[in-house]
Amino acid sequence: DERLKSAYQWTTKNQEAHWGFETVLFKDFLELDASVYDYVVLDTKGGEGKNELITLARNSALVVVPTKPDGVSTDGLIVTLKHLLSEQVSNYMVLLTDVPPPPNTDGHQLRQELLSADIDIPMFQASIRHAVAVSKAARAGVRLLDVKEDRYAKLVWMDYSVVAHEVMKYVK
């Protein structure tokens, strides 16, 4: 995401944090030899244009389409899905993120709507719950697992771990 650079800023903020992967800006990535890496993850801006989205999809093993269960995000998801479907792209999965805890049912309702749609929308089984721990980790420049003062940090870490396992099943 060349505009916000949020992943890059998060992972380079704290020089003592241990991530287990490299983070580079896209302009620098273009100069790297990607063949030396097992996996390359691109964090793009929200609302990629149709041409950029299709190009990314055609050159990727998997496109993760994250969406929050709110009106604005859902509207953006519909536009993205229309772009992918119009070009018969099938290597994508929708990931529900920032899902509010019960008694709020927005995440569950969106999942049900997507599952009952007239078209098959591939979705991750797991969702990423909403937690302030994500903001705390980003501010401190550490992994979620390293946020000690928030009991929800480990739960969100587990959410991401489950999603990572789903991604690995898909790309292998």
Side-chain angles (χ1 to χ4, degrees):
D1 181 354
E2 284 298 306
R3 186 173 51 87
L4 295 177
K5 300 175 183 87
S6 55
Y8 181 79
Q9 288 179 6
W10 184 342
T11 58
T12 59
K13 185 179 287 184
N14 180 346
Q15 297 303 317
E16 295 178 18
H18 300 284
W19 292 92
F21 56 84
E22 291 180 59
T23 309
V24 297
L25 295 172
F26 187 70
K27 66 179 179 61
D28 298 328
F29 166 74
L30 296 174
E31 297 173 15
L32 294 177
D33 178 6
S35 67
V36 302
Y37 298 96
D38 294 328
Y39 302 98
V40 175
V41 176
L42 298 176
D43 177 22
T44 65
K45 66 183 185 296
E48 285 290 343
K50 180 180 180 180
N51 293 337
E52 292 86 2
L53 178 65
I54 300 307
T55 299
L56 279 169
R58 289 194 172 134
N59 290 288
S60 300
L62 175 64
V63 174
V64 177
V65 182
T67 190
K68 297 178 182 182
D70 62 41
V72 173
S73 298
T74 303
D75 291 345
L77 173 65
I78 292 167
V79 170
T80 299
L81 293 177
K82 284 181 180 178
H83 290 331
L84 292 169
L85 294 169
S86 72
E87 297 293 322
Q88 299 179 341
V89 171
S90 60
N91 61 326
Y92 71 92
M93 292 178 71
V94 173
L95 174 62
L96 299 182
T97 64
D98 205 19
V99 175
N104 186 303
T105 60
D106 291 351
H108 177 75
Q109 287 176 349
L110 178 56
R111 179 177 294 281
Q112 293 310 310
E113 287 174 30
L114 295 173
L115 290 173
S116 64
D118 292 338
I119 56 170
D120 183 31
I121 300 172
M123 296 181 59
F124 285 90
Q125 292 288 322
S127 297
I128 307 299
R129 72 189 82 213
H130 170 81
V132 176
V134 175
S135 295
K136 289 178 181 177
R139 276 194 311 273
V142 298
R143 303 175 309 159
L144 276 162
L145 196 57
D146 297 327
V147 176
K148 303 298 183 201
E149 67 276 1
D150 190 315
R151 66 186 180 128
Y152 292 101
K154 285 185 181 178
L155 295 173
V156 179
W157 175 268
M158 290 186 330
D159 292 345
Y160 277 110
S161 296
V162 171
V163 169
H165 286 291
E166 287 188 65
V167 167
M168 296 308 294
K169 283 183 187 177
Y170 186 95
V171 299
K172 286 199 175 192

